[in-house]
Coordinates of all heavy atoms in Angstrom, one line a residue:
S1 N 1.8 9.2 -5.5 CA 1.4 9.3 -6.9 C 2.5 8.9 -7.9 O 3.6 9.1 -7.6 CB 0.9 10.8 -7.2 OG 0.4 10.9 -8.5
C2 N 2.1 8.3 -9.0 CA 3.0 7.9 -10.0 C 2.4 8.4 -11.3 O 1.3 8.2 -11.6 CB 3.0 6.3 -10.0 SG 4.0 5.6 -11.4
A3 N 3.3 9.0 -12.1 CA 2.9 9.6 -13.4 C 3.9 9.2 -14.5 O 5.1 9.0 -14.3 CB 2.8 11.1 -13.3
D4 N 3.3 9.0 -15.7 CA 4.1 8.8 -16.9 C 3.9 10.0 -17.9 O 2.8 10.2 -18.3 CB 3.7 7.5 -17.6 CG 4.4 7.3 -18.9 OD1 5.5 7.8 -19.1 OD2 3.8 6.6 -19.8
S5 N 5.0 10.7 -18.1 CA 4.9 11.9 -18.9 C 5.0 11.6 -20.4 O 4.7 12.5 -21.2 CB 5.9 12.9 -18.5 OG 7.2 12.4 -18.8
R6 N 5.3 10.4 -20.8 CA 5.5 10.1 -22.2 C 4.4 9.3 -22.9 O 4.1 9.6 -24.1 CB 6.8 9.3 -22.4 CG 8.0 10.0 -21.8 CD 9.3 9.3 -22.2 NE 9.5 9.6 -23.7 CZ 10.6 9.2 -24.3 NH1 11.6 8.6 -23.7 NH2 10.7 9.5 -25.6
R7 N 3.7 8.4 -22.2 CA 2.7 7.6 -22.8 C 1.5 7.4 -21.9 O 1.7 7.4 -20.7 CB 3.2 6.3 -23.4 CG 4.1 6.4 -24.6 CD 4.4 5.0 -25.1 NE 5.3 5.1 -26.3 CZ 4.9 5.3 -27.5 NH1 3.6 5.5 -27.8 NH2 5.8 5.4 -28.5
T8 N 0.4 7.1 -22.4 CA -0.8 6.8 -21.6 C -0.6 5.4 -20.9 O -0.1 4.5 -21.6 CB -2.1 6.8 -22.5 OG1 -2.3 8.0 -23.1 CG2 -3.3 6.4 -21.7
L9 N -1.0 5.4 -19.7 CA -0.8 4.1 -18.9 C -2.0 3.2 -19.0 O -2.0 2.1 -18.4 CB -0.5 4.5 -17.4 CG 0.7 5.2 -17.1 CD1 0.8 5.6 -15.6 CD2 1.9 4.5 -17.6
S10 N -3.0 3.6 -19.7 CA -4.2 2.8 -19.8 C -4.0 1.3 -20.3 O -4.8 0.4 -19.9 CB -5.3 3.4 -20.6 OG -4.8 3.6 -22.0
G11 N -3.0 1.1 -21.1 CA -2.7 -0.2 -21.6 C -1.9 -1.1 -20.7 O -1.5 -2.2 -21.1
Y12 N -1.5 -0.6 -19.5 CA -0.6 -1.4 -18.6 C -1.3 -1.8 -17.3 O -2.1 -1.1 -16.8 CB 0.6 -0.5 -18.3 CG 1.5 -0.2 -19.4 CD1 1.3 0.9 -20.2 CD2 2.6 -1.1 -19.8 CE1 2.2 1.2 -21.3 CE2 3.4 -0.8 -20.9 CZ 3.2 0.4 -21.6 OH 4.0 0.6 -22.7
V13 N -0.9 -2.9 -16.9 CA -1.1 -3.3 -15.5 C -0.1 -2.5 -14.6 O 1.1 -2.4 -15.0 CB -0.9 -4.8 -15.2 CG1 -0.9 -5.2 -13.8 CG2 -1.9 -5.6 -16.0
M14 N -0.6 -1.9 -13.6 CA 0.3 -1.1 -12.7 C 0.4 -1.7 -11.3 O -0.5 -2.3 -10.8 CB -0.3 0.3 -12.6 CG -0.5 1.1 -13.9 SD 1.1 1.3 -14.8 CE 2.0 2.3 -13.6
G15 N 1.6 -1.5 -10.8 CA 1.9 -2.1 -9.4 C 2.7 -1.2 -8.6 O 3.4 -0.3 -9.1
W16 N 2.6 -1.4 -7.3 CA 3.4 -0.7 -6.3 C 4.2 -1.7 -5.5 O 3.7 -2.8 -5.1 CB 2.6 0.1 -5.3 CG 2.1 1.4 -5.9 CD1 0.9 1.7 -6.4 CD2 2.8 2.7 -5.9 NE1 0.8 3.0 -6.8 CE2 2.0 3.6 -6.5 CE3 4.1 3.1 -5.5 CZ2 2.3 5.0 -6.7 CZ3 4.5 4.4 -5.7 CH2 3.6 5.3 -6.3
F17 N 5.5 -1.5 -5.4 CA 6.4 -2.3 -4.6 C 7.2 -1.5 -3.6 O 7.2 -0.2 -3.8 CB 7.4 -3.1 -5.5 CG 6.8 -4.1 -6.4 CD1 6.1 -3.7 -7.5 CD2 6.8 -5.5 -6.1 CE1 5.5 -4.7 -8.4 CE2 6.2 -6.4 -6.9 CZ 5.6 -6.0 -8.0
R18 N 7.7 -2.1 -2.6 CA 8.5 -1.3 -1.7 C 9.8 -2.2 -1.2 O 9.8 -3.4 -1.3 CB 7.7 -0.9 -0.4 CG 7.3 -2.1 0.4 CD 6.3 -1.6 1.5 NE 5.9 -2.7 2.4 CZ 5.0 -2.5 3.4 NH1 4.5 -1.3 3.6 NH2 4.7 -3.6 4.2
Q19 N 10.8 -1.5 -0.8 CA 12.0 -2.1 -0.4 C 12.7 -1.3 0.7 O 13.0 -0.1 0.5 CB 13.0 -2.3 -1.5 CG 14.2 -3.2 -1.2 CD 14.9 -3.7 -2.4 OE1 14.9 -3.1 -3.4 NE2 15.6 -4.8 -2.2
A20 N 12.9 -1.9 1.9 CA 13.6 -1.3 3.0 C 15.1 -1.7 2.9 O 15.4 -2.8 2.4 CB 13.0 -1.7 4.3
P21 N 16.0 -0.9 3.5 CA 17.4 -1.3 3.5 C 17.6 -2.7 4.1 O 17.1 -3.0 5.2 CB 18.0 -0.2 4.3 CG 17.1 1.0 4.1 CD 15.7 0.4 4.1
G22 N 18.4 -3.5 3.5 CA 18.7 -4.8 4.0 C 17.6 -5.9 3.8 O 17.7 -7.0 4.3
K23 N 16.5 -5.5 3.2 CA 15.4 -6.4 3.0 C 15.1 -6.6 1.5 O 15.4 -5.7 0.7 CB 14.1 -5.9 3.7 CG 14.2 -5.8 5.2 CD 12.9 -5.4 5.9 CE 13.1 -5.3 7.4 NZ 11.8 -4.9 8.0
E24 N 14.4 -7.7 1.2 CA 14.0 -7.9 -0.2 C 12.8 -7.1 -0.6 O 12.1 -6.6 0.2 CB 13.8 -9.4 -0.4 CG 12.6 -9.9 0.4 CD 12.4 -11.4 0.2 OE1 13.3 -12.1 -0.3 OE2 11.3 -11.9 0.6
R25 N 12.7 -6.9 -1.9 CA 11.6 -6.2 -2.5 C 10.3 -6.9 -2.1 O 10.2 -8.1 -2.2 CB 11.8 -6.1 -4.0 CG 10.7 -5.3 -4.7 CD 11.0 -5.2 -6.2 NE 11.1 -6.5 -6.8 CZ 11.7 -6.7 -7.9 NH1 12.3 -5.8 -8.6 NH2 11.8 -8.0 -8.4
E26 N 9.3 -6.1 -1.8 CA 8.0 -6.6 -1.3 C 6.9 -6.1 -2.2 O 6.8 -4.8 -2.5 CB 7.7 -6.3 0.1 CG 6.4 -6.8 0.7 CD 6.1 -6.3 2.1 OE1 6.8 -5.3 2.6 OE2 5.3 -6.9 2.8
F27 N 6.0 -6.9 -2.6 CA 4.8 -6.5 -3.3 C 3.8 -5.8 -2.4 O 3.5 -6.2 -1.3 CB 4.1 -7.7 -3.9 CG 2.7 -7.5 -4.5 CD1 2.6 -6.8 -5.7 CD2 1.6 -7.9 -3.8 CE1 1.3 -6.5 -6.2 CE2 0.3 -7.6 -4.3 CZ 0.2 -6.9 -5.5
V28 N 3.3 -4.7 -3.0 CA 2.3 -3.9 -2.2 C 0.9 -4.0 -2.8 O 0.0 -4.3 -2.1 CB 2.7 -2.4 -2.1 CG1 1.7 -1.6 -1.4 CG2 4.1 -2.3 -1.4
A29 N 0.8 -3.6 -4.1 CA -0.6 -3.6 -4.7 C -0.4 -3.6 -6.2 O 0.6 -3.2 -6.8 CB -1.4 -2.4 -4.2
T30 N -1.5 -4.0 -6.9 CA -1.6 -4.0 -8.3 C -3.0 -3.6 -8.7 O -3.9 -3.9 -8.0 CB -1.1 -5.3 -9.0 OG1 -1.1 -5.1 -10.4 CG2 -2.1 -6.4 -8.6
I31 N -3.1 -3.0 -9.9 CA -4.4 -2.6 -10.4 C -4.5 -2.9 -11.9 O -3.5 -2.8 -12.6 CB -4.7 -1.1 -10.1 CG1 -6.1 -0.7 -10.5 CG2 -3.6 -0.2 -10.9 CD1 -6.5 0.7 -9.9
S32 N -5.7 -3.3 -12.4 CA -5.9 -3.7 -13.7 C -5.9 -2.5 -14.7 O -5.9 -1.4 -14.3 CB -7.2 -4.5 -13.9 OG -8.3 -3.7 -13.5
W33 N -6.0 -2.8 -16.0 CA -5.9 -1.8 -17.0 C -7.0 -0.8 -16.8 O -6.8 0.4 -16.9 CB -6.1 -2.4 -18.4 CG -5.0 -3.4 -18.7 CD1 -3.8 -3.1 -19.2 CD2 -5.2 -4.8 -18.7 NE1 -3.1 -4.3 -19.4 CE2 -3.9 -5.4 -19.1 CE3 -6.2 -5.7 -18.3 CZ2 -3.7 -6.7 -19.2 CZ3 -6.0 -7.1 -18.4 CH2 -4.7 -7.5 -18.8
S34 N -8.2 -1.3 -16.5 CA -9.4 -0.4 -16.3 C -9.5 0.2 -14.9 O -10.3 1.1 -14.7 CB -10.7 -1.1 -16.7 OG -10.9 -2.2 -15.8
G35 N -8.8 -0.4 -14.0 CA -9.0 0.0 -12.6 C -10.1 -0.7 -11.8 O -10.3 -0.5 -10.7

């Protein structure tokens, strides 16, 4: 879970990325403003 305690996230494109030690950052998923 990801939460923003300061502002509503409805106006943002959201994404998940991951990175393992010694490896480059990898794209996981993204979701539109409305979902």
Side-chain angles (χ1 to χ4, degrees):
S1 183
C2 172
D4 173 30
S5 62
R6 303 196 69 177
R7 292 187 179 276
T8 299
L9 296 178
S10 61
Y12 294 92
V13 171
M14 301 299 298
W16 284 95
F17 292 79
R18 66 187 184 185
Q19 187 166 26
K23 296 183 178 180
E24 63 183 12
R25 182 177 58 198
E26 179 185 17
F27 168 74
V28 175
T30 186
I31 188 167
S32 63
W33 302 278
S34 65

